[in-house]
Amino acid sequence: MVDYISGLNDPQREAVMHGSGPLMIIAGAGSGKTRVLTYRIAHLIDNGVDPFRILSLTFTNKAAGEMRHRIEKVVGTEARNIWMGTFHSVFAKILRIEAKAIGYTSNFSIYDSDDSKSLLRSIIKEMALDDKVYRVNSVFSRISGAKNRLIGPDDYLNNSVILADDESARMPHIGKIYQQYALRCFAANAMDFDDLLFNTNVLFRDHLDILNKYQHKFQYVMVDEFQDTNVSQYLITRKLAAVHQNICIVGDDAQSIYAFRGANIENILNFQRDYGKENVKIVKLEENYRSTNTIVQAANSIIARNKNQLEKHVFTSNEEGPLIDVIKASSDNEEGRLVASAIFEAKMNESLVNNDFAILYRTNAQSRAFEEALRKVSLKYRIIGGLSFYQRKEIKDLIAYLRFTVNQQDEEAFKRIINLPKRGIGDTTVAKISVIAAEKQDSVWEIVADITKHVAGRASFAIEGFATLIKSFKLLLDQKDAFEVASHIAKTSGLLKELYDDKTVEGLARYENVQELLNAIKEFVDNPDNEDKSLSAFLQSVSLLTTADEKEDDGDNDRITLMTIHSAKGLEFKNVHIVGLEEDLFPSQMMLESRNDLEEERRLFYVAITRAEKRLTISYAETRYHYGRLKMCEPSRFLMEIDQKYMKVSKQRSAPSRIDFDRPERDRSESTSTGSMAFVRSLAQKTAQRQTPQQAAAHTPSPDFAPTSTATLASGQRVEHAKFGFGTVKNVEVNGTERKATIQFEQVGEKVLLLSFAKLRVV
DNA sequence: TATCCAGGCTTTTTT
DNA sequence: AGCCTGGATA
């Protein structure tokens, strides 16, 4: 037996050895949480608990895979039998087994957010609502938010608070849309991501026999990243653990970064209440084994500014380590170059490999500059997230074929493939079919399968061909495994041929992507862990892959990792670059406008910092492209929030000091060795010329604009704005963190400008 | 029905 | 800048 106890510290050992009863582990960043969780499960199995009776919920499937692997090393192949995965994948599996109880069949489709939004778009159109008012994204997030709080369509329509809310947002019909959306999903035998959790709750609520079965089955329930669970997830775990009460949650409130998705920090507090304060064993893991003292203390100095948090003192006995480097760049591209060369140097000086580096940013769109710069110095990199493999058009197309073959009620898949490849079936024909389907109260497929009965004319031939094609695919389902069916469909549908005929570089890439998908299906079929090798089983697993789950290239695996901070959760790297530390970008202006949760942004920064083991570098740019326009940027307030004694300013750049943050430099072009400021200036001029005729006519600005702040403005001051021209400052207002100026412009009259946005110059 | 072009809009994060 | 939509055209 492997001795996994002796290497642990006291609280870690306590958590591992804790037997039955509720256990809450508050695990600071880098405190060996995964280790505790794996050893705890291994310890249970060693003590005779049947792996089949352990349920362990993780944040990504990859995390589940790794944990399983580590447990296997301790207890052997038994570990394969543990129920382990994300909430979504585990409960999709259970719903597949129990589908009939809630009126679904086990081959139900899973709608990804594109499918959901496309369905919402149709509904909004059908209800003759203005899609400028009912923006799909906001409707979707309202519905998603409701589902995550277990509010069904009927509850929604009966909830006066919500209705009043919608009313004031001038979208009073969201409830109706929600109702229609739910009906259509059900009719399509489809569930969206939120439904997987919502319907699990419904299943357990309405079918006590089924609930009972799983309550007794799962003797031990473990939930990782508990701070990021929402109410819907919380209730599932609470119900499942109600019989044995052996629930162990692991989390860190300081790393809660998914409140926008309905995650609820209060779950941690509810936990004690639900199981009784005296029954809950609490273990705090506060020693950080990952990072240098500098990094740990800097992170602490950031998170200390949040009011909402549990008491915790993260410390480390690691070495002090180098100070945090701050790099100021003149533009986003310059930032890319500086980061690339910093990595290049660090690789040499510290003899590191690419895998030791990560570049973390707030938004996926920021990756571009780093990709270009890294490519230029021939550093290999990989991007996690962004447009993922499974979101590519060609992949979604083939998957839509597969989905429709498995489930002909799948409306979104149908819409996608009915005229793909082009077979002369246009929107009008499709609309006609749905009208007939609605009249006859049939599914679209019933009409399509028997088209000659309903429609005569040219299009009906094409549709007949489509129906025959799908029918022939259906016949294969019971006889062949997922791979055989899928490759047959790829060939016979004409999709593969169409891509093969496309000889452009992109066409070739798309063809290869489809081959890659077929390979993935082959792997799925060949994997002994998968008992069910049907196409339906593959589709369910594939819809729930996380961006972090994506397969890595087999060949050259030593790569610098580029990703958003959100995707970096749970990972660690020797050297970390946090980039784009500009006000409005990080903290994100969107977040502050929509939810005004600066604390969550700060936790996000905390997560980013604590990914680093040895060296942390933070950078920002003074100008950045935004919707193809050059935008002036101010350094983020987060830079000032770090205890300055842990920071130093990179030698290559002119020093950003406390003072610099409040006062724009007049002339910085000399300090940039590449002369990039001149380049930026010329671009600024070009950009100005590219504006709409009206704007250009209004004012062609002088090029030399600087970030503006309160320190540079006083009432009576003359200013020039990039768009509005010359004006006089009337009033400057500082309200908390928001800084506004009222300016009387000569050409356009009075304007109130948010300073961080203003392209202002004092004249 | 398919294709081309102009104009408008976008970006917060993810299961 | 890139993507999507809608209208005009082939």
Side-chain angles (χ1 to χ4, degrees):
Chain A
M1 193 194 289
V2 183
D3 170 28
Y4 43 79
I5 300 298
S6 55
L8 301 175
N9 68 22
D10 288 350
Q12 286 178 330
R13 189 175 308 127
E14 229 180 316
V16 169
M17 306 291 279
H18 175 83
S20 49
L23 169 67
M24 171 156 107
I25 304 173
I26 303 295
S31 60
K33 175 192 72 169
T34 312
R35 205 161 152 214
V36 166
L37 214 45
T38 46
Y39 287 166
R40 179 169 160 72
I41 294 174
H43 181 250
L44 288 174
I45 296 175
D46 268 353
N47 282 277
V49 177
D50 183 350
F52 274 114
R53 301 190 62 187
I54 298 174
L55 170 64
S56 174
L57 298 163
T58 55
F59 199 72
T60 64
N61 293 302
K62 194 177 179 186
E66 274 164 19
M67 203 183 287
R68 194 189 299 271
H69 191 70
R70 286 168 74 162
I71 298 172
E72 214 173 310
K73 278 195 185 151
V74 185
V75 300
T77 51
E78 266 194 299
R80 290 202 193 143
N81 298 331
I82 305 166
W83 279 66
M84 200 180 280
T86 62
F87 270 92
H88 290 84
S89 64
V90 166
F91 294 107
K93 201 162 154 190
I94 289 180
L95 284 169
R96 203 164 136 75
I97 298 169
E98 313 292 347
K100 284 203 182 65
I102 52 168
Y104 278 84
T105 62
S106 66
N107 59 351
F108 65 84
S109 294
I110 296 175
Y111 277 180
D112 67 14
S113 10
D114 287 345
D115 296 315
S116 300
K117 285 175 189 172
S118 151
L119 175 53
L120 283 173
R121 211 165 280 125
S122 333
I123 292 173
I124 291 170
K125 211 168 178 179
E126 286 162 26
M127 291 174 73
L129 297 168
D130 185 351
D131 59 0
K132 297 261 157 39
V133 179
Y134 288 85
R135 307 252 281 93
V136 175
N137 281 320
S138 39
V139 174
F140 181 64
S141 73
R142 294 284 292 175
I143 293 177
S144 168
K147 270 188 204 165
N148 286 330
R149 284 175 288 143
L150 292 186
I151 299 169
D154 294 338
D155 305 327
Y156 194 103
L157 286 164
N158 286 322
N159 188 321
S160 55
V161 179
I162 295 179
L163 293 182
D165 232 29
D166 286 349
E167 197 79 48
S168 67
R170 290 198 214 92
M171 293 190 278
H173 300 301
I174 291 188
K176 289 273 176 213
I177 300 175
Y178 182 15
Q179 199 171 36
Q180 186 57 222
Y181 175 78
L183 278 172
R184 293 277 277 273
C185 283
F186 186 70
N189 194 23
M191 299 191 199
D192 68 16
F193 288 140
D194 302 317
D195 286 335
L196 295 172
L197 306 173
F198 186 90
N199 287 336
T200 302
N201 271 295
V202 171
L203 180 75
F204 288 162
R205 182 196 66 199
D206 297 346
H207 302 273
L208 293 181
D209 51 325
I210 294 174
L211 171 63
N212 208 267
K213 180 167 106 190
Y214 289 100
Q215 278 177 332
H216 284 92
K217 175 181 176 61
F218 295 127
Q219 201 178 348
Y220 285 87
V221 177
M222 267 161 260
V223 188
D224 194 6
E225 306 285 5
F226 189 75
Q227 75 280 357
D228 287 322
T229 56
N230 60 35
V231 173
S232 182
Q233 292 167 320
Y234 179 67
L235 290 178
I236 294 174
T237 55
R238 197 174 81 182
K239 278 191 173 164
L240 282 178
V243 168
H244 295 292
Q245 302 261 317
N246 293 327
I247 180 165
C248 163
I249 62 166
V250 190
D252 178 7
D253 57 302
Q255 296 185 65
S256 163
I257 54 175
Y258 281 97
F260 72 90
R261 195 169 89 182
N264 192 348
I265 299 197
E266 310 223 320
N267 283 347
I268 289 189
L269 307 172
N270 290 342
F271 188 78
Q272 290 186 62
R273 194 200 58 202
D274 285 349
Y275 294 92
K277 241 187 161 126
E278 62 290 348
N279 300 326
V280 176
K281 167 93 182 164
I282 299 178
V283 177
K284 285 188 187 178
L285 306 179
E286 296 177 305
E287 177 162 7
N288 177 307
Y289 295 97
R290 177 188 296 156
S291 312
T292 65
N293 190 46
T294 300
I295 292 167
V296 170
Q297 296 311 328
N300 283 347
S301 75
I302 278 286
I303 205 68
R305 294 178 183 256
N306 276 0
K307 298 216 170 61
N308 262 321
Q309 52 177 328
L310 299 178
E311 201 179 314
K312 184 164 13 86
H313 304 284
V314 179
F315 67 97
T316 185
S317 43
N318 288 343
E319 55 171 358
E320 202 55 32
L323 292 176
I324 298 168
D325 212 358
V326 178
I327 297 179
K328 170 165 94 173
S330 54
S331 69
D332 47 359
N333 292 323
E334 173 86 351
E335 186 185 29
R337 287 191 287 273
L338 291 174
V339 168
S341 64
I343 292 178
F344 197 88
E345 263 173 50
K347 253 186 96 172
M348 296 301 148
N349 297 339
E350 298 161 39
S351 62
L352 297 171
V353 295
N354 291 337
N355 280 335
D356 294 326
F357 294 87
I359 300 176
L360 308 181
Y361 35 76
R362 177 67 235 267
T363 68
N364 281 307
Q366 285 164 257
S367 70
R368 200 212 76 245
F370 300 97
E371 293 176 58
E372 281 171 12
L374 290 173
R375 230 177 292 136
K376 242 173 226 156
V377 292
S378 307
L379 286 169
K380 292 255 167 71
Y381 62 87
R382 83 171 69 87
I383 297 186
I384 311 273
L387 188 62
S388 84
F389 181 74
Y390 288 98
Q391 284 173 304
R392 289 171 203 200
K393 184 187 175 301
E394 62 276 17
I395 300 302
K396 293 201 72 167
D397 289 344
L398 179 51
I399 287 188
Y401 261 102
L402 304 182
R403 260 166 55 181
F404 195 65
T405 304
V406 167
N407 170 21
Q408 286 85 38
Q409 287 161 278
D410 190 328
E411 191 185 338
E412 294 308 310
F414 171 77
K415 282 197 282 191
R416 212 178 164 95
I417 61 174
I418 177 68
N419 198 24
L420 198 119
K422 301 256 152 59
R423 39 173 89 80
I425 304 169
D427 294 346
T428 20
T429 318
V430 177
K432 203 187 281 173
I433 294 173
S434 15
V435 169
I436 299 173
E439 274 170 11
K440 301 215 180 264
Q441 303 231 335
D442 259 343
S443 79
V444 177
W445 172 248
E446 300 296 328
I447 311 298
V448 168
D450 215 355
I451 190 71
T452 40
K453 253 193 205 154
H454 304 282
V455 187
R458 316 181 289 291
S460 75
F461 285 113
I463 293 170
E464 225 180 346
F466 174 75
T468 317
L469 193 67
I470 298 295
K471 280 177 195 159
S472 75
F473 294 161
K474 259 175 76 175
L475 289 176
L476 300 175
L477 284 179
D478 292 335
Q479 309 158 12
K480 313 249 178 195
D481 68 33
F483 175 69
E484 292 167 311
V485 183
S487 39
H488 176 84
I489 292 178
K491 279 181 212 129
T492 321
S493 66
L495 279 188
L496 212 49
K497 184 175 185 313
E498 194 180 47
L499 293 174
Y500 185 78
D501 291 341
D502 182 350
K503 295 297 181 197
T504 63
V505 183
E506 299 84 35
L508 193 68
R510 279 189 222 116
Y511 180 78
E512 281 168 3
N513 284 339
V514 172
Q515 294 293 355
E516 195 53 48
L517 174 61
L518 292 173
N519 288 342
I521 302 178
K522 181 79 180 140
E523 267 171 44
F524 175 85
V525 170
D526 290 344
N527 186 344
D529 284 352
N530 299 320
E531 289 158 40
D532 188 348
K533 301 194 187 303
S534 68
L535 186 57
S536 171
F538 171 78
L539 286 174
Q540 299 224 334
S541 78
V542 93
S543 339
L544 297 171
L545 287 182
T546 324
T547 49
D549 294 328
E550 285 188 20
K551 218 184 94 197
E552 294 181 10
D553 293 351
D554 319 301
D556 195 352
N557 264 335
D558 180 34
R559 287 163 189 272
I560 298 165
T561 307
L562 275 65
M563 61 187 151
T564 62
I565 302 168
H566 281 89
S567 332
K569 188 163 89 154
L571 304 178
E572 58 188 18
F573 301 88
K574 284 214 175 75
N575 285 21
V576 168
H577 282 261
I578 309 174
V579 302
L581 259 280
E582 292 130 40
E583 198 63 18
D584 294 345
L585 182 60
F586 190 20
S588 145
Q589 185 214 354
M590 281 274 172
M591 158 67 117
L592 296 189
E593 272 171 14
S594 64
R595 299 189 29 257
N596 196 23
D597 193 348
L598 183 63
E599 297 212 342
E600 178 158 319
E601 291 289 296
R602 203 177 271 126
R603 290 193 294 268
L604 196 55
F605 191 37
Y606 178 80
V607 168
I609 295 173
T610 53
R611 296 312 97 196
E613 295 169 16
K614 298 285 180 233
R615 187 184 286 279
L616 178 64
T617 312
I618 299 177
S619 58
Y620 66 95
E622 294 174 308
T623 62
R624 174 176 300 280
Y625 274 100
H626 194 62
Y627 301 151
R629 299 270 174 79
L630 198 66
K631 181 193 170 204
M632 295 299 174
C633 309
E634 282 185 83
S636 163
R637 69 184 89 181
F638 287 163
L639 280 175
M640 294 310 303
E641 288 184 357
I642 303 179
D643 190 330
Q644 300 294 307
K645 72 178 178 225
Y646 300 114
M647 298 168 69
K648 75 157 193 250
V649 167
S650 169
K651 286 188 205 92
Q652 314 133 282
R653 294 297 108 201
S654 58
S657 64
R658 249 169 218 280
I659 293 166
D660 285 341
F661 290 150
D662 280 328
R663 193 178 58 199
E665 287 169 66
R666 244 43 236 325
D667 191 359
R668 70 182 73 75
S669 58
E670 276 73 41
S671 64
T672 40
S673 51
T674 53
S676 57
M677 205 49 210
F679 174 68
V680 169
R681 231 182 252 135
S682 73
L683 284 176
Q685 269 169 321
K686 274 188 212 150
T687 318
Q689 284 157 13
R690 228 184 296 119
Q691 286 167 347
T692 64
Q694 291 161 320
Q695 287 169 342
H699 183 66
T700 308
S702 330
D704 194 19
F705 281 80
T708 342
S709 68
T710 41
T712 58
L713 286 183
S715 67
Q717 201 141 23
R718 288 270 298 158
V719 291
E720 184 190 8
H721 185 269
K723 200 161 122 192
F724 307 129
F726 292 94
T728 311
V729 177
K730 286 180 71 176
N731 184 27
V732 182
E733 205 181 312
V734 182
N735 188 357
T737 53
E738 197 178 64
R739 297 172 293 169
K740 286 189 286 194
T742 311
I743 300 169
Q744 179 73 43
F745 287 104
E746 285 156 18
Q747 293 173 21
V748 290
E750 192 172 293
K751 291 265 174 197
V752 181
L753 299 178
L754 213 57
L755 281 188
S756 49
F757 260 138
K759 297 177 181 179
L760 277 184
R761 191 172 76 103
V762 180
V763 292

